[in-house]
């Protein structure tokens, strides 16, 4: 009986872990990983980012797609 309780507790803990960490990833296209060639070509180009969402980076000035703030030039 104790073995069954231990197994159920373990399975519930595993399910909760998957639910919390497995479903928390970003699903939007703005966060998609870049290929090596894209990453190396953007290093030399001027980049702009959102002060509120630093993960939003573009090669031209504009507005943040998440909050609408103006993008600022990366130093």
């Amino acid at each position: 009986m104790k073995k069954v309780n231990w197994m159920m507790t373990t399975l519930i803990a595993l399910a909760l872990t998957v639910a919390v960490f497995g479903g928390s990833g970003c699903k939007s296209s703005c966060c998609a990983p870049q290929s090596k060639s894209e990453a190396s070509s953007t290093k030399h180009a001027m980049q702009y980012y959102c002060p509120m969402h630093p993960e939003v980076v573009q090669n031209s000035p504009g507005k943040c797609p998440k909050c609408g703030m103006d993008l600022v030039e990366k130093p």
Side-chain angles (χ1 to χ4, degrees):
M1 191 68 163
K2 289 182 181 181
K3 188 174 184 178
V4 172
N5 286 341
W6 180 83
M7 288 178 60
M8 288 301 290
T9 303
T10 303
L11 288 174
I12 291 171
L14 180 63
L16 287 172
T17 302
V18 169
V20 169
F21 293 110
S24 64
C26 181
K27 303 285 191 263
S28 67
S29 62
C30 70
C31 300
Q34 295 179 344
S35 68
K36 287 184 179 181
S37 62
E38 288 177 10
S40 63
S41 67
T42 57
K43 284 183 182 178
H44 302 293
M46 189 68 64
Q47 291 187 332
Y48 298 85
Y49 74 100
C50 175
M52 293 294 291
H53 303 98
E55 69 275 8
V56 175
V57 179
Q58 295 180 359
N59 292 333
S60 60
K63 301 241 182 233
C64 174
K66 292 183 177 183
C67 65
M69 287 182 65
D70 289 331
L71 299 179
V72 295
E73 186 177 328
K74 269 191 169 182

